[in-house]
Amino acid sequence: MFRLDAIPALELQETADGVTVAIPILPSGVNALQATRLQRRLVTDLVERIAPEKLLLWYYTPMALPFTRHLSADVVVYDNMDELSAFLGAPPRTLALERELLRRADVVFTGGHSLYEAKKGRHANIHPFPSSIDKAHFGKARAYGGQEPADQAGIPGPRLGFFGVIDERMDLELVARAADLRPDWRFVMIGPVVKIDPDILPQRPNLHWLGGKDYDELPSYLAGWDVGVMPFALNEATRFISPTKTPEFLAAGVPVVSTAIRDVVRGYGQDGLVVIADTPEDLVLKAERLMTAPRADWLAAVDRKLAADSWDRTWSEMNAHIRAAARAASRPRAARSEEVAADAARL
């Protein structure tokens, strides 16, 4: 975070779960190189202050390498959730930094099977982990008896809903056309608008852009939807995504129509748990059928699918891979420091 006349520091915040979040506070106006150098110093000071017996570096983005590559870790994890280089506004260095991170990583996780297939030839210890599900949380929507959110309560039905980040991955033309085809339906769109101009969002009397909501609020919104929609564009930014909201919709008991995202088709569409649509006309026709279709057998199939999924199981399997990688990385931190320094010098 950038603040006027700030003295560079890490602002430490403790979460209810016992996680310490360190937020770099930098003075406004510093350039990218200065920001990297300042963050490098702050991270170094933090690690020295903590003085851990074991140091694990867990990367969600290779863009963190410039201020952490000097650290000699016992284990390096690259949790590759998306093909970040394909996102709108991705820094030109992303691919080069990812190549470096893949060399450094002891274990790599991918956020879905499509991404795993694209990256599996680039690392010897890589494993796919599609999004799991907090079934209890989203399951509240199935028998929700609380008050409906004020900004949704006045919207008549039938309602079709989406929740998630609204960015270049959404097919806004499809959304607008679907709303035009069914002016008596209401499309409820929840989520922050990121990386695109809010002014380009299509405006219709039956299109409701409600903005971002807290995680805890989501079941109360989903409880009032007849059908869930995942109107993703089919482009480079969505080629490898495995949307977390797919199992979340299902846990909430909301039938879903999605565009043909590969991991959705293979993970849910082929089993009949999610309906796939290719065009706005196809989307509204299939949504219409879902509104009147019996749900008992579908819900039973959903519950069988989700029974094997949990974040606890996901973490248990990840942890096993990390521990195995730690055992395989027999060289202690001190013995690896020369290699790290040489790699950093080349870059």
Side-chain angles (χ1 to χ4, degrees), residues 61-236:
T61 171
M63 296 307 297
L65 266 177
F67 57 86
T68 58
R69 62 159 63 96
H70 65 291
L71 298 172
S72 182
D74 295 278
V75 181
V76 174
V77 177
Y78 178 24
D79 198 352
N80 186 196
M81 291 297 297
D82 290 293
E83 185 54 75
L84 299 177
S85 64
F87 282 19
L88 184 66
R93 299 175 64 200
T94 302
L95 286 175
L97 287 170
E98 184 179 68
R99 286 193 293 270
E100 179 188 347
L101 182 53
L102 286 168
R103 289 197 306 269
R104 291 170 175 268
D106 296 293
V107 59
V108 178
F109 303 131
T110 66
H113 288 284
S114 294
L115 195 54
Y116 166 75
E117 290 171 357
K119 299 287 178 73
K120 65 182 180 181
R122 299 180 62 190
H123 199 277
N125 189 20
I126 183 169
H127 310 275
F129 281 96
S131 296
S132 191
I133 175 65
D134 184 347
K135 293 190 290 288
H137 178 67
F138 286 93
K140 296 173 186 175
R142 296 195 188 190
Y144 182 72
Q147 189 171 9
E148 188 160 30
D151 55 353
Q152 181 169 277
I155 300 174
R159 298 179 188 142
L160 287 78
F162 168 87
F163 68 98
V165 176
I166 297 168
D167 57 16
E168 78 275 13
R169 293 172 294 176
M170 177 173 286
D171 189 336
L172 296 176
E173 185 177 342
L174 183 148
V175 172
R177 179 61 180 153
D180 290 339
L181 289 169
R182 292 293 187 274
D184 54 327
W185 293 0
R186 299 297 186 272
F187 292 78
V188 179
M189 314 298 287
I190 289 176
V193 180
V194 177
K195 295 188 291 181
I196 61 173
D197 185 350
D199 289 341
I200 72 171
L201 299 180
Q203 302 298 318
R204 305 287 191 277
N206 60 334
L207 254 177
H208 305 270
W209 304 95
L210 301 188
K213 304 297 175 186
D214 289 340
Y215 180 77
D216 290 343
E217 297 179 275
L218 293 177
S220 63
Y221 282 92
L222 271 69
W225 297 352
D226 297 280
V227 173
V229 291
M230 298 199 304
F232 290 109
L234 302 181
N235 57 29
E236 283 301 305

Side-chain angles (χ1 to χ4, degrees), residues 246-258:
T246 313
E248 292 172 346
F249 266 129
L250 299 180
V254 179
V256 190
V257 182
S258 174

Side-chain angles (χ1 to χ4, degrees), residues 72-75 104 106 329 331-341:
S72 182
D74 295 278
V75 181
R104 291 170 175 268
D106 296 293
R331 292 167 296 163
R333 292 215 312 262
R336 302 175 79 183
S337 60
E338 283 189 19
E339 178 185 325
V340 171

